[in-house]
């Protein structure tokens, strides 16, 4: 399942969106938390947190990836990409990536 949990147009100066997607299967669970931020003519940021655990594990894996660029770095991509919150993420450089094990109990 998925849904937009929070959305704001930043007083008409951009967009901020928080989306959660969750997949629960008999053998595993996968959660995606994605925060998208666009400040018009200033910057873009996409932060994704993924949590994955298998049924027999006593731990989960969490990966946090942050992609970010100033407007000047991406303005040549064109409005189709600049205003597509999913497409722009592929064009932003990774500024942080952390993977860690979360033990239960």
């Amino acid at each position: 399942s998925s849904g937009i949990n929070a959305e704001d147009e930043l007083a008409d100066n951009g967009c901020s969106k928080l989306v959660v997607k969750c997949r629960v299967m008999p053998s595993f669970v996968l959660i995606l938390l994605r925060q998208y931020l666009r400040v018009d003519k200033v910057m873009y940021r996409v932060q994704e947190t993924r949590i994955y655990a298998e049924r027999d594990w006593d731990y989960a894996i969490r990966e946090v990836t942050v992609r970010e660029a100033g407007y000047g770095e991406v303005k040549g991509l064109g409005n189709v990409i600049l205003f597509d919150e999913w497409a722009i993420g592929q064009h932003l450089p990774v500024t942080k990536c952390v993977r860690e094990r979360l033990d239960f109990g």
Side-chain angles (χ1 to χ4, degrees):
S1 69
S2 67
I4 297 173
N5 288 60
E7 184 173 7
D8 186 29
E9 292 186 7
L10 306 177
D12 244 1
N13 291 304
C15 180
S16 178
K17 234 180 233 188
L18 183 67
V19 176
V20 175
K21 293 185 176 192
C22 184
R23 174 171 242 172
V24 178
M25 302 297 285
S27 60
F28 70 90
V29 62
L30 176 63
I31 301 167
L32 170 65
L33 177 67
R34 186 175 197 270
Q35 194 265 333
Y36 163 78
L37 175 67
R38 182 189 82 242
V39 181
D40 290 341
K41 297 189 179 180
V42 177
M43 57 89 67
Y44 292 82
R45 178 184 301 139
V46 175
Q47 178 169 326
E48 294 180 333
T49 301
R50 288 179 171 83
I51 299 173
Y52 176 81
E54 292 192 5
R55 182 180 195 165
D56 298 334
W57 291 2
D58 60 352
Y59 63 93
I61 303 295
R62 176 173 58 192
E63 180 180 270
V64 178
T65 304
V66 179
R67 297 171 179 273
E68 184 174 324
Y71 175 74
E73 298 171 69
V74 295
K75 67 181 179 182
L77 295 173
N79 285 344
V80 171
I81 292 175
L82 291 179
F83 289 95
D84 183 328
E85 65 197 71
W86 293 95
I88 189 66
Q90 300 171 28
H91 298 277
L92 302 177
V94 174
T95 58
K96 176 183 175 183
C97 187
V98 177
R99 185 177 296 146
E100 58 191 343
R101 177 180 165 141
L102 306 173
D103 291 307
F104 302 139

